[in-house]
Amino acid sequence: MYRYDAIDKQLVNERVAQFREQTQRFLAGEIPEDEFKALRLRNGLYIQRFAPMLRVAIPYGLLSSAQLRRLAHIARTYDKGYGHFSTRQNIQFNWPKLEEVPDILAELAEVEMHAIQTSGNCIRNITTDHLAGVARDELVDPRPYCELTRQWSTFHPEFNWLPRKFKIAFSSSTTDRAATLVHDIGIHIVRNDAGALGYRINVGGGLGRMPIIGHCIREFLPETELFSYLEAILRVYNRLGRRDNMHRARIKVLVKATGPEAFRDMVEAEWQQIDHAQYRLTQEDLAAMKAYFADPPYAAEASSADFQQKQEDNSAFAAFVKRNVHAHRQDGYRVVYVSLKAKGIAPGDCTADQMDVVADLAERYSFGELRTTHDQNLVLPDVAEKDVYAVWETLAAHDLATPNIGLVTDMITCPGLDFCSLANAGSIGVSNEIFDRFESLDYLYDVGPIKIKMSGCMNGCGHHSVGHIGVLGVDKKGEEWYQITLGGSSENDATLGDRTGPSVGRDEVAGAVETIIRTYLDVREGEEETFLDCYRRVGMAPFKDALYPDKRKAA
């Protein structure tokens, strides 16, 4: 993984000292609250419903075991003993004391971490596929490009005060696991007909109040020209993006208003005026960065002669392998998912003790590295097949081995009213009720892969708009109600979900989800037809009839 150089260390340490002084002045009454708000947001510090919330950057979801141990220490020392992993691969602490946040940032700096640009109207954390470097369907490892982009975007003087927050994601696989098409810029690393590496550039995606799927504005951009083109896109947005209405300030609104073709023309015109030489990546630049992400020293003998036998002898281990252990591009190795979706636990939450356990496993069995995922889980990317059973035993002993990756109970859920000051409705309690309905593994496996995504308000932090089943909490005269959508996706076939009809009450949500899934089981064409494929074939009608039987009778 990338290691900080002297410039990185100086930048982060100076920012810590700067924010410490600003915090002291604010607490002494020397800085007005409105002025301090801008300063704290630049350091990832929000004021939530009950307490401050600190968002810590995990660039492209990559963590070392030492970094995860430090996060565990911070959760234990400065918080309530746990952290929350988000859909953008970061971690959030929900209960820090304001006066202690500079101390937290100083401790993060010691392990090459920070909270810079995790909030505010700037370029946020760069994200990518959590299987980067180990996926069998990968063209090249996208992490070097992510790190170069992180360096380009950090403290960028021209884009430090954009009209609104800005998110960039990379994908280099045949399966888009980074939700690139719902980002402000989604970059797909591709090869052209001549075999040269480059990028397909998608712009104007985003969720929230106005969910939009991104548009391709360039089919192929040469590998060396990445930053000049990003500069062109951001200059057009910075110049023309709205600043009078925060709900219409995202680049997706600008692209929709101008039209994708007109926006592309403006970007291309801007690009022609840029001094390309100033931004051009050289092969030496690329090679130097790729060297940080070289393969670990894989063992020649990593397979297990009794791997299959252990599954036959132990049904719990077999279930874990079926859902949480995936193929690796290196023979003899497996990718192991650590599920943060256990019964009774808020999706994405991880205790300090659990973090220590995963850090130990990463150090012992995965070359000291792990990943955070867009779906709010963790990944041990490089586990020898002969070690998978030992990893499972440890995970199972600490409630981290729920065999549900990709299934109904592997839900994406925002904090909702339990924490967020913007939320209109709860999310965590609803997710627990849905979990209770589908706790049976046999039932889960019969249902197959379904992505349920839930948000407590229109900001869409739970990505409900692109859930196979999406749930959105709304407020109706002080009561919690929930709108349900079907058929969304954030992958290659990205699409927005369709609303089923009237919202349902708080106590009806879990039952509505169960009704939807039972309807799917009734109308699907064989066990191989997924929920998404089934919905696209039969449409909304059978689901709507099942959800609103009284309306069907009235008709």
Side-chain angles (χ1 to χ4, degrees), residues 283-515:
Q283 290 304 317
E284 290 75 18
D285 295 328
L286 292 162
M289 186 55 69
K290 289 177 181 180
Y292 283 106
F293 300 92
D295 286 344
Y298 292 122
E301 299 295 330
S303 299
S304 171
D306 61 350
F307 187 63
Q308 188 61 40
Q309 187 61 50
K310 286 180 177 176
Q311 295 176 62
E312 294 174 4
D313 294 341
N314 190 319
S315 60
F317 178 59
F320 179 77
V321 171
K322 181 176 182 179
R323 293 310 317 173
N324 295 33
V325 179
H326 288 211
H328 194 290
R329 66 174 177 78
Q330 180 74 21
D331 290 342
Y333 281 81
R334 299 295 182 102
V335 176
V336 176
Y337 282 79
V338 179
S339 175
L340 301 183
K341 312 292 178 63
K343 177 179 173 61
I345 303 298
D349 278 8
C350 191
T351 69
D353 290 345
Q354 288 175 325
M355 290 185 216
D356 280 334
V357 167
V358 177
D360 290 345
L361 289 173
E363 190 164 86
R364 184 173 181 183
Y365 297 114
S366 191
F367 302 100
E369 291 186 4
L370 65 145
R371 317 283 178 81
T372 62
T373 80
H374 161 68
D375 294 317
Q376 298 178 286
N377 293 305
L378 302 177
V379 167
L380 298 170
D382 295 296
V383 179
E385 188 179 80
K386 62 183 179 60
D387 295 325
V388 171
Y389 189 84
V391 169
W392 167 72
E393 285 186 310
T394 301
L395 292 175
H398 294 86
D399 212 14
L400 292 167
T402 307
N404 62 349
I405 298 299
L407 301 179
V408 171
T409 56
D410 184 17
M411 291 172 275
I412 287 179
T413 304
C414 77
L417 272 178
D418 289 84
F419 297 101
C420 184
S421 59
L422 301 176
N424 295 316
S427 299
I428 295 172
V430 176
S431 70
N432 288 337
E433 291 171 13
I434 294 172
F435 195 111
D436 290 343
R437 298 259 180 162
F438 296 93
E439 192 172 358
S440 166
L441 287 179
D442 289 340
Y443 191 14
L444 279 177
Y445 293 154
D446 185 43
V447 171
I450 293 183
K451 293 184 181 294
I452 298 179
K453 303 183 180 184
M454 189 181 326
S455 301
C457 77
M458 287 295 294
N459 288 305
C461 295
H463 292 207
H464 66 276
S465 299
V466 288
H468 296 171
I469 300 175
V471 182
L472 168 64
V474 296
D475 178 277
K476 288 188 176 183
K477 297 180 180 179
E479 294 183 354
E480 298 173 59
W481 289 76
Y482 296 81
Q483 295 174 357
I484 298 175
T485 54
L486 301 179
S489 172
S490 63
E491 298 183 0
N492 302 53
D493 53 356
T495 186
L496 302 175
D498 305 312
R499 187 172 169 182
T500 58
S503 55
V504 300
R506 168 68 174 75
D507 58 348
E508 300 175 291
V509 183
V513 170
E514 185 172 17
T515 296

Side-chain angles (χ1 to χ4, degrees), residues 45-246:
L45 186 62
Y46 291 76
I47 301 299
Q48 295 284 75
R49 191 177 181 199
F50 301 111
M53 181 272 280
L54 180 66
R55 180 181 295 141
V56 178
I58 303 177
Y60 37 96
L62 180 60
L63 280 171
S64 69
S65 54
Q67 289 172 332
L68 186 58
R69 284 197 190 95
R70 181 58 57 91
L71 295 175
H73 163 74
I74 288 169
R76 193 177 287 117
T77 306
Y78 300 100
D79 206 279
K80 291 190 175 182
Y82 69 96
H84 175 76
F85 289 95
S86 75
T87 57
R88 299 210 74 254
Q89 301 183 286
N90 294 317
I91 187 171
Q92 298 177 175
F93 295 107
N94 289 305
W95 302 99
K97 296 176 181 177
L98 174 58
E99 61 270 22
E100 293 181 341
V101 169
D103 295 329
I104 298 174
L105 297 179
E107 294 222 29
L108 289 170
E110 291 176 358
V111 291
E112 302 185 359
M113 297 188 75
H114 60 78
I116 296 167
Q117 293 181 205
T118 59
S119 181
N121 296 337
C122 55
I123 300 172
R124 300 285 188 89
N125 187 44
I126 310 301
T127 60
T128 194
D129 186 353
H130 52 267
L131 299 185
V134 300
R136 288 193 171 184
D137 64 341
E138 183 176 83
L139 179 62
V140 294
D141 188 343
R143 292 174 300 171
Y145 302 89
C146 291
E147 175 56 32
L148 287 165
T149 306
R150 183 196 72 81
Q151 295 186 17
W152 163 81
S153 63
T154 300
F155 295 139
H156 193 301
E158 190 173 347
F159 308 134
N160 206 29
W161 296 99
L162 294 167
R164 196 72 173 89
K165 59 186 176 182
F166 203 91
K167 301 174 181 179
I168 300 174
F170 282 80
S171 177
S172 181
S173 302
T174 56
T175 299
D176 182 359
R177 288 175 285 265
T180 60
L181 292 178
V182 291
H183 279 71
D184 298 290
I185 298 179
I187 302 170
H188 291 192
I189 302 173
V190 296
R191 289 191 187 276
N192 64 10
D193 292 340
L197 276 174
Y199 319 93
R200 183 169 66 249
I201 306 295
N202 302 282
V203 173
L207 300 177
R209 294 173 181 271
M210 187 187 294
I212 295 177
I213 303 301
H215 303 272
C216 179
I217 64 167
R218 203 168 221 278
E219 287 290 346
F220 185 80
L221 177 72
E223 184 183 28
T224 57
E225 303 301 328
L226 177 62
F227 298 131
S228 59
Y229 206 76
L230 292 182
E231 289 269 342
I233 294 171
L234 278 147
R235 285 183 183 179
V236 172
Y237 169 55
N238 205 20
R239 186 170 67 246
L240 301 178
R242 292 183 62 171
R243 297 179 186 268
D244 62 326
N245 184 334
M246 66 176 293

